[in-house]
Every structure is written in C-alpha cells, then in structure tokens.
Amino acid sequence: SGPATDIEVNVSDGWTVILTQSITISNSTHRVKIEVGGKPKIAAYRDTKFEIGLYRGTNLLYNVGDQVADNSDNYNVISGLVWVDTPGSVGTHTYYYKFRQTEDFSTTKTKAIANTITMCCTEMKGA
C-alpha cells in the first residue's frame, strides 16, 4: 500500500510512480492479474487535470484521465482497476501505478495522498 508519503507533481514532472509491485512468473503462458484498490485521493486545489497509468516496465498497459474544477481544498477520488496482463516470458515483471498532471494551472499541483492505494499482483494459469 502507499504511497509512503504525499506526492505532489506539476506538468513538468511527467509520469510519477505512486506504487511499484514485482511478481515472478513461472510459465510463459501464465498471466498476471493486477488489482489496484483503495481509492487514491488526488488533492484538487482549484483546477487540475491528470492521468493515472498502469505500466509493466516501460510499457503503458492502461491509462485514464480526469479533471477537477473549482473544488478548493477537496479531493477527487479515482476508483481502482483490475487488469489481466500476459507478459509472455518467465521471470520477474515489475508493475508501476503512476500519475501525472496534464495541464498547467499556474501554481496548482496535483497531489497523491499518502496511504490511499493498494496494489496486488497474482499469477494465473494461461488459457
């Protein structure tokens, strides 16, 4: 679970890691079920636009964008996700849950609040 501390980003920071999870696959036909939960909070001071992304290594598997307008000192809650990935090779694969601010609103920054998210990876038999 995490992040360990609050993470604050702006447009120039690009993708920033919230959580990392590694899993070792024992068979190249097996899949990985990635469950992200805990409803991470994104602090929204005035306006903000942001994206959440799930990566395996440097490969983007899934992303979704959202925005908040005029919600001073409130939070926008991103629901979790369930993704089934087929890495295609035996070995350790690392998954990253990231976020980024996608539009510059002057001094406004997007912030992931500490300890508001969980990530679990499970090896599944292939078809």
Side-chain angles (χ1 to χ4, degrees), residues 72-123:
S72 183
D73 298 330
N74 289 323
Y75 296 100
N76 194 36
V77 178
I78 300 295
S79 296
L81 67 95
V82 176
W83 187 266
V84 178
D85 184 39
T86 307
S89 63
V90 173
T92 301
H93 301 277
T94 303
Y95 293 89
Y96 300 92
Y97 194 59
K98 302 180 181 185
F99 81 121
R100 69 179 175 178
Q101 185 168 326
T102 56
E103 190 169 324
D104 188 2
F105 289 102
S106 186
T107 60
T108 303
K109 294 184 178 182
T110 300
K111 184 176 183 180
I113 308 302
N115 300 313
T116 56
I117 183 171
T118 60
M119 183 163 59
C120 177
C121 296
T122 307
E123 182 176 7

Side-chain angles (χ1 to χ4, degrees), residues 11-12 17 34 37 58 60 66 69 79-80 87 91 97 101 110-111 119:
V11 173
S12 63
V17 175
I34 304 111
T58 58
L60 177 63
D66 205 346
S79 296
Y97 194 59
Q101 185 168 326
T110 300
K111 184 176 183 180
M119 183 163 59

Side-chain angles (χ1 to χ4, degrees), residues 1-60:
S1 65
T5 60
D6 292 357
I7 300 172
E8 191 172 76
V9 299
N10 58 31
V11 173
S12 63
D13 295 324
W15 285 107
T16 301
V17 175
I18 299 174
L19 281 178
T20 303
Q21 183 69 46
S22 295
I23 186 169
T24 302
I25 303 301
S26 60
N27 186 303
S28 63
T29 64
H30 286 187
R31 296 179 288 169
V32 178
K33 181 180 181 183
I34 304 111
E35 298 172 273
V36 179
K39 298 192 182 229
K41 293 180 178 178
I42 304 297
Y45 303 107
R46 301 179 191 252
D47 299 326
T48 187
K49 286 187 179 180
F50 57 93
E51 285 184 308
I52 296 291
L54 177 65
Y55 284 77
R56 176 180 18 91
T58 58
N59 298 318
L60 177 63

